[in-house]
C-alpha cells in the first residue's frame, strides 16, 4: 500500500505516524504537513523526530505544506498538546531535514506516479488537499481512498459545541474536499470519542511495557492527557490513530454509511460544522462514507502490540483497499 | 396553574391541546396562534375545533398572532400533517370565533395579570414570543416558566440535517427568546423522537378504545403517521404533547441540565440549528434548562388514559411549578 | 397632516423635531422613541425637552418604544452626539413625562385612527416600525407615507465603509420594513452628506441670530460639530432634519427613483448595508422611492428661518401628500 | 518589463492582450487562464488566437489554470461576450497549443525567476493568484506590482448592485489576494465605467481605420456592445484594457489612494463586494492602492493608435514600475 499522511504533527498525530511506520507492508511515500495543532515548524520537526524514533530516519520524506488556512486566521491547539506538540518534551532537532518541494506539488506528483494505488490519511485541517484539488480536479480521482479524521456524524464538537477542530480551522478547505468526489471515509470525533480513548488502566498497562516506544508515547501524550481531564475525559484520545488503524485494517470500521456531507462555512456558531444528511433531507447524492462505529477493542490491541513489540499485528490486505 | 399555549395547531398540536384541556386543575387563559405547520386560518380553526371536541366551546379564547416569521418567508409543513393540519378531515367551522385582540397584546396583558403565576407552553415557531419580548423586556421575567418544543440537545434535525422545524421557520425569533432570560426548558426533537413515538401496537390499542377522543386522535394524526413511515418512523410522533405532559407533570422530564443555548441565524446549512454548549466551550452562563431524557412510558400512559377516560391522570402540583 | 416622528433623539434629531414643531399646520400625533444614538432614557428626555423648548410642553405625547434592536446588541453613537445626546448640555428634566403606552401599541392604534392620513418620519433604527409591521401586516397599508432616514443610494456609509448607522444598528428591522410594502421614501446618507451640511459660514450666521432657538441649536449640535471635524466634515450634519424637511416640503426632494432595496443582514463587513438595485440586476419590483438629490439651499433657508423666527416658511400641501 | 497576464479571455480581455502584445518593450513571460467569462477551453483558445493575430504565435506561452472558483459554483458571463467570448466569431483553432504546466505552478516558478522584476495584470477572477499565495506566502513579495481589475472604490457593481463580476465569481480568492500583502493596485468598475467606455463616435472612428486589428477588435467586441446597450451603456467597455494601459503607462492613473480593502464573503446580497474603507472606520493599515480617477482621453488615444498602427505609443519606463 502506498500511503501519504497529511498531518499537523502533535499529540495523537505522532501515534498515528508510529502505527503506519511500524506496519512493514505499508510504503509511506511521504508525510505532508498542514497548519494546525502547533506552530508550523514544530509540526515539521515532530514528524521528522517520529520517523527517527521509528528507526526510519531519512527513509520517509517530509513535505511542508500550507502554513495558513485558505481564508481564516490560524487557530492552534497548543493548549491541548503542549507548546511543542510533544507534551513539552522539547526534543532537539534530528538529522533528517524536510524536503524543499511543497506538499501540494508533492501530492499532485505522487498522485500521478501512484494513480489508482494511493491511500491518503488526512489527520489535520484540509488546506493541502483543497489546494491540490483546486489545482487539479483529477487529483481526487487518482487517489484510491482518502481517510479523513474530522467532523462528526452527529455534530459533536471539540472546539465549539457542534464543530470539530480540523474542519473548524479551515472550513473552506473541508468544504472543497467534500465537493471533490473523492472515494473517501470521514472518521468523526463522535466515533473517536467512543472508541479511541485509552483510559487510566490502559495507560497503566502502557507504563508497564516500559519499551522505548511506550516511553515515547507517554511523553508525547502527557499534555493531552492533562487537558482531557479538564474536559471530563479520563485518558488520552486517539482520533488520528483510530483513523490510521482503519486505513490499515478496515475491519476496525464496523459500521458506516454513505451520506451527503456538507461543511458549514457561513455560520456564526457553526463554523466548520459537518452537516451529515442522515435522513436525506437535502436530496443530494452521497459524497462520503461516514463512520458510525468502530471496534475500539481491536484498535487498542493493535496500539498496545505496536508499543510492546515495535510492530502492528495487521496483516496486509489480500484484495487491496477499496 | 394559569397556562397559555402558543401553537401552530396541526397534527400533534391538537393532542397537546387535548392533554391540557382534559386536565381539570389547569386554567387555560388563552391559546395563541403562530404561523407554522399549515395555512394560518386552518391553525386558528383547528384550535377552535379542538376546544369544542374537548367540550369547552367558548370557554378558552383563541388569539391569532404572527402570520409570518420575523424575517424569513414562511415554510409550512402541510406535507407532514395534511393540508388542513387535521389529517385532511376537513372539519366544518365551529361556532366559537377567534378573539380580535392580537396574540402579542394578549401575551403582554396576561403576563401582567398573572405575573409570576403563568406557564407558557410554546409548541410552534417563536414569533409571537419574540415580539412580546422585544415590546417589553420585562415580559420574560413575569412568566413563571416557558416550555419550548424546539431544537435539539444534540443537533438532530427534522427539516434539515441539524435543524428542527420550529426553530428553522423563525430562527431570529428563537434567537431572541433564548436571549431573553426566561426561566425556560427546551424540549428538543431528540428527546421527542426517543420518548414520544406511539408505535403500531400503541396505535392499535388506541383503535380498540373506540371513544370519541380516540377516533378524533386517529383522524387528526392519520397524515402524520403516513409521512413518518416515509422517514423510517413507524408510528406517530408527539413532540408537542410530550412537552405539554412535562409542563403538567414535571416528573416526566427525567434528565436535564442547564446549558447556554444559541440559535444559528447565519448558517448556509444550519439555519435555526440549536447550538447547545454541553462542554462549556463558549464560556457563557446557561440560559435554558435542556431536556436530555423523558419517561416515555408515563407519557404514553397519560395520553392513553386521557383518550380512554376524557381525563389525564395527572395530579395538581403541590408546591407549584418551578 | 398627521405626523408621527420615530426618533433616537440626539444631535440632529432635535433639529428635526424643531422643524416639525414649528410648522403650524402639522399635527404631531406622537413622538416614538427607538434605541439608537444615546442611552434610551436620555433620548426620551431629549424629546420632552425639545417639545418644551418649542413651547408645546404637554401638547405632544412621547411614547418610549424598543430599548434594544431585534437581534443584535445595541451600538450607540454617544461618541458623535455627546453622552447626553444634547452636546453635553445636561439639561434638567422637564415637567412633561412620557406616556405609559408602548410606542408599538401607539403606532398600531394611531394607524387605525388616522388610516390613510398619517405620515411617519423615521429617523432612528427601525425596531419600532418592524415590530408594528410584524404584529399587523396591514399597518404598512394604513400609513400614507413613510419617510426613512437611513442607508444610502450608493453604499456610502458612516459607521462602516458601506453601512449607515440607523440600518447598521438594527439590520433585521430595516429588512422587515423594506419588505412590508410601505409607500415609502428612503433618504440616504449620501444625499444628506451632499445637501444637509451646515458649514462654518452657515453656523456663524446662526450664531449671529442669537435667538433662544439658535442658542439651543448651537448647544445641542456642539459635540456633533466637533466629531465631524475628525471625519473631515467641516460643519454640522442634518440627515434627520433634511428628511423631515422633505416630508414637510416634498419639493426639496429634487431627484428620486423607485428601486428595489434590500438590507444586508448576513454580511461580515456589510452589516445593514442598503443594497439599492439601480440597474435592476435582482429582477424584483421596486419597494421604495430612493432619494438621489435634494435642494440643499432651500433646506438651509427653511432651517435658518425657523431658528430666526420660530416658524418654518413651509406652506401646507394643497393636494396633500402622496 | 516582465509581465504575466491572468485572464478569462473574452471580450475586453482580448483588447487588453493586444495592448500588451503591441508594446515592444514589454516581455510577456506567460498568459495564465482563470475560470470566468466563458467556457474554460474557449478562454484558452481565445488567448492563443489573440497571440496569433498579434503576430506572435508560439512566442508567448499560455498556461491553463483554475477551472473552478475556490468554493463556489462557476458563474459565467457568456450573456455579455457571446458564447465563444469572441462576439460569436467562432474562430477555428490556431496552431499554438497551451502549455501542460499548470498556471499556478508557472506563476510560482516565474515569480522566483523574475523575483522583484515581475508585473502581473489580473483581469479575471483571482483563483490562480489565491492558489499561488496559499501555496507560497512569499509569492506576493516577489511580485513587483499586481494590477487587479475588479471591485469598485464605491460599491458600484455590474453583476449585483454592489458587486463586480470578477470578485463575485470567486470572493474567497479575492479575499485571499487582498490579505496577501501584495504591492497592488485595484482598478474598480467605477473608474472603468467612467474612463474606459468607447462611445458610438469612437467606434465609428475604429470602423474607419479598417485595419486587420480594427476589424478583429470590432468582431470580438460585437456582443458586448449589444449587451451594454441593454444596460444603458452606449458603446463598448474596456475595464481590462484600462487596467493594462495603467500598468504600461502609470500616468493614466491620475488619482488613487492607499486604503484598507476587504472582500465580503458572507453576505446574502453583497457576495464579493469590495469594502473600501475610505474613512478609516475599520482601523486597519491600507493593503491596496485604489484607483479613483483615470485619464480616459489618453487611454483611448493609446488604444486607437494601436489599432491603427499595430503599436502602442507608450514609452518604456525610465525608472521602472513602482
Ligand atoms: Ca491531527
Ligand atoms: Ca407545533
Ligand atoms: Ca436619528
Ligand atoms: Ca476579464
Amino acid at each position: 500500500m502506498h500511503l501519504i499522511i497529511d498531518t499537523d504533527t502533535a499529540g495523537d498525530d505522532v501515534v498515528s505516524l508510529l502505527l503506519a511506520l511500524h506496519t512493514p507492508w505499508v510504503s509511506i511515500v511521504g508525510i505532508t504537513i498542514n497548519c494546525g495543532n502547533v506552530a508550523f515548524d514544530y509540526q515539521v520537526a515532530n514528524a521528522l523526530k517520529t520517523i527517527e524514533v521509528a528507526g526510519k530516519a531519512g527513509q520517509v520524506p517530509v513535505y511542508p505544506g500550507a502554513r495558513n488556512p485558505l481564508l481564516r486566521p490560524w487557530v492552534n491547539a497548543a493548549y491541548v498538546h503542549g507548546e511543542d506538540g510533544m507534551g513539552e518534551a522539547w526534543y532537539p532537532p534530528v538529522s533528517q531535514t524536510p524536503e524543499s518541494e511543497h506538499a501540494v506539488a508533492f501530492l499532485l506528483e505522487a498522485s500521478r506516479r501512484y494513480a489508482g494505488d494511493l491511500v491518503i490519511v488526512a489527520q489535520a485541517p484540509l488546506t493541502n488537499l483543497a489546494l491540490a484539488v483546486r489545482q487539479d480536479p483529477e487529483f481526487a480521482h487518482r487517489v484510491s481512498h482518502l481517510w479523513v479524521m474530522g467532523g462528526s456524524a452527529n455534530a459533536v464538537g471539540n472546539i465549539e459545541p457542534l464543530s470539530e477542530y480540523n474542519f473548524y480551522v479551515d472550513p473552506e478547505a473541508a468544504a472543497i474536499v467534500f465537493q471533490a468526489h473523492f472515494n473517501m471515509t470521514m472518521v468523526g470525533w463522535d466515533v473517536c470519542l467512543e472508541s479511541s480513548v485509552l483510559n487510566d488502566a490502559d495507560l497503566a498497562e502502557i507504563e508497564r511495557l516500559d519499551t522505548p516506544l511506550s516511553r515515547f508515547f507517554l511523553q508525547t501524550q502527557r499534555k493531552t492527557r492533562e487537558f482531557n481531564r479538564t474536559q471530563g475525559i479520563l485518558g488520552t484520545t486517539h482520533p488520528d490513530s483510530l483513523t490510521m488503524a482503519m486505513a490499515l485494517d478496515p475491519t476496525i470500521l464496523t459500521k458506516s454509511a454513505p451520506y451527503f456531507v456538507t461543511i458549514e462555512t457561513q455560520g456564526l456558531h457553526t463554523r466548520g460544522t459537518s452537516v451529515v444528511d442522515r435522513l436525506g433531507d437535502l436530496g443530494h447524492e452521497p459524497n462520503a462514507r461516514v463512520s458510525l462505529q468502530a471496534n475500539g477493542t481491536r484498535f487498542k490491541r493493535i496500539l498496545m502490540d505496536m508499543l510492546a513489540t515495535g510492530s502492528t499485528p495487521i496483516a496486509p490486505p489480500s484484495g487491496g483497499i477499496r
Side-chain angles (χ1 to χ4, degrees), chain A:
Chain A
M1 178 202 273
H2 297 109
L3 176 68
I4 294 175
I5 310 169
D6 191 64
T7 169
D8 52 341
T9 329
D12 183 48
D13 287 82
V14 169
V15 184
S16 172
L17 293 194
L18 290 177
L19 283 176
L21 288 160
H22 291 96
T23 303
W25 49 269
V26 170
S27 163
I28 308 178
V29 297
I31 292 174
T32 53
I33 309 296
N34 203 96
C35 62
N37 288 322
V38 296
F40 194 84
D41 292 337
Y42 286 136
Q43 298 184 155
V44 175
N46 295 345
L48 294 166
K49 171 69 182 175
T50 306
I51 292 168
E52 189 194 68
V53 166
K56 301 217 168 169
Q59 297 172 46
V60 178
V62 173
Y63 299 88
R67 288 175 165 269
N68 286 289
L70 285 182
L71 201 57
R72 319 268 186 148
W74 170 53
V75 176
N76 73 39
Y79 58 95
V80 176
H81 306 293
E83 186 136 337
D84 67 350
M86 298 295 253
E88 297 182 355
W90 303 111
Y91 294 114
V94 298
S95 55
Q96 185 183 341
T97 54
E99 307 303 304
S100 60
E101 192 179 8
H102 190 275
V104 173
F106 167 70
L107 281 163
L108 290 170
E109 186 261 320
S111 76
R112 287 190 198 98
R113 199 172 356 134
Y114 301 108
D117 182 24
L118 178 65
V119 171
I120 299 179
V121 172
Q123 52 188 50
L126 293 167
T127 325
N128 286 335
L129 288 172
L131 288 168
V133 162
R134 274 296 164 257
Q135 197 159 328
D136 181 357
E138 293 307 308
F139 170 68
H141 303 130
R142 290 193 298 265
V143 173
S144 321
H145 204 85
L146 170 65
W147 295 82
V148 172
M149 193 284 125
S152 164
N154 54 8
V156 171
N158 57 11
I159 182 159
E160 288 209 346
L162 308 184
S163 304
E164 177 278 334
Y165 175 78
N166 284 342
F167 291 2
Y168 177 89
V169 170
D170 197 341
E172 284 76 18
I176 290 169
V177 167
F178 277 86
Q179 292 173 8
H181 303 290
F182 279 100
N183 187 354
M184 72 186 280
T185 303
M186 177 182 114
V187 184
W189 177 245
D190 53 333
V191 169
C192 296
L193 204 52
E194 195 176 276
S195 302
S196 84
V197 180
L198 296 192
N199 60 28
D200 288 347
D202 298 322
L203 294 168
E205 187 182 334
I206 291 174
E207 276 178 51
R208 283 192 299 274
L209 291 177
D210 200 27
T211 62
L213 279 178
S214 74
R215 288 191 296 268
F216 183 64
F217 173 95
L218 290 167
Q219 169 58 53
T220 55
Q221 309 305 304
R222 192 173 63 88
K223 281 282 173 184
T224 314
R225 188 177 181 181
E226 283 174 28
F227 173 79
N228 283 347
R229 198 166 291 271
T230 69
Q231 302 292 295
I233 304 173
L234 304 180
T236 53
T237 36
H238 297 281
D240 297 345
S241 300
L242 180 63
T243 305
M244 179 62 77
M246 285 180 183
L248 301 179
D249 178 357
T251 68
I252 292 174
L253 176 55
T254 49
K255 194 173 161 196
S256 68
Y259 290 128
F260 177 72
V261 180
T262 186
I263 310 301
E264 180 63 66
T265 56
Q266 305 264 334
L268 208 54
H269 314 287
T270 52
R271 168 178 164 177
T273 295
S274 55
V275 179
V276 177
D277 189 12
R278 299 176 70 164
L279 292 177
D281 294 323
L282 304 179
H284 294 295
E285 285 296 301
N287 60 354
R289 179 169 63 161
V290 176
S291 303
L292 299 173
Q293 200 178 63
N295 184 339
T297 310
R298 174 142 175 81
F299 164 67
K300 282 191 193 177
R301 188 49 25 227
I302 287 170
L303 181 53
M304 294 295 190
D305 278 13
M306 185 269 290
L307 295 177
T309 70
S311 181
T312 65
I314 309 175
S318 51
I321 296 275
R322 184 185 85 104

